[in-house]
Amino acid sequence: MVYPQGRVSHVDANSDPTAVGINIDTYGILADMRAYSIDLRQRLLATVDKGMAREEAAATFGVSLVTIKRLIALGREGGDLSPKLPSGRRRIITAEQEGALRAQMEANHDATNKTHARLWQERQGVAVSQWTLGRAIRRLGWTRKKDARGQ
């Protein structure tokens, strides 16, 4: 099954021998990756502390053995069990600015990314590359479509 934004759902391994059973989006990024809740982390540690084997706890809670080992190490150190912020660079076009980008896209739907980058700089006062703008446009769900003449 293909989702609107290009994500592929689980595929039956019998019908597709290359299927690996994980969601990967169009750009090769794991889709649907969410941090485990603090509640789950605490329950997992409590269960292991009560004597359940790590392998059994991993199967029961649906997490990897490595995740359990990492949480146990954090618990022993007295570390914070809350999920960390994802690493990486901060977005130049923030979620708050996406409304302005959407309005710009609707007003100039046939413009190139390079033109949109120039318009963004003129209107928002922030210089962005056409590549940065292209990523932001994809996050909005816009795709590059051509008219009937192929232009």
Side-chain angles (χ1 to χ4, degrees), residues 75-96:
R76 284 187 185 142
E77 296 170 0
D80 184 17
L81 293 179
S82 62
K84 307 294 183 268
L85 291 175
S87 61
R89 190 175 180 173
R90 293 179 188 246
R91 292 184 177 165
I92 294 174
I93 299 175
T94 64
E96 294 80 24

Side-chain angles (χ1 to χ4, degrees), residues 13-128:
N14 295 330
S15 65
D16 182 3
T18 62
V20 292
I22 57 174
N23 293 336
I24 308 242
D25 72 6
T26 307
Y27 309 104
I29 300 170
L30 289 174
D32 304 325
M33 294 292 294
R34 304 261 189 273
Y36 297 120
S37 68
I38 295 174
D39 177 57
L40 175 67
R41 294 165 185 243
Q42 291 169 340
R43 287 186 293 133
L44 216 158
L45 285 179
T47 303
V48 172
D49 287 344
K50 289 181 183 175
M52 182 182 277
R54 293 176 183 182
E55 293 82 5
E56 187 180 350
T60 302
F61 287 95
V63 299
S64 71
L65 188 57
V66 173
T67 298
I68 293 178
K69 290 178 181 179
R70 189 178 312 118
L71 290 174
I72 289 172
L74 272 174
R76 284 187 185 142
E77 296 170 0
D80 184 17
L81 293 179
S82 62
K84 307 294 183 268
L85 291 175
S87 61
R89 190 175 180 173
R90 293 179 188 246
R91 292 184 177 165
I92 294 174
I93 299 175
T94 64
E96 294 80 24
Q97 295 173 316
E98 286 180 353
L101 178 58
R102 186 177 304 277
Q104 178 179 313
M105 291 293 298
E106 289 169 355
N108 304 288
H109 59 86
D110 58 345
T112 64
N113 284 357
K114 191 173 186 177
T115 303
H116 279 295
R118 183 182 49 76
L119 291 170
W120 186 261
Q121 182 174 3
E122 290 171 5
R123 295 176 183 165
Q124 302 295 322
V126 178
V128 294

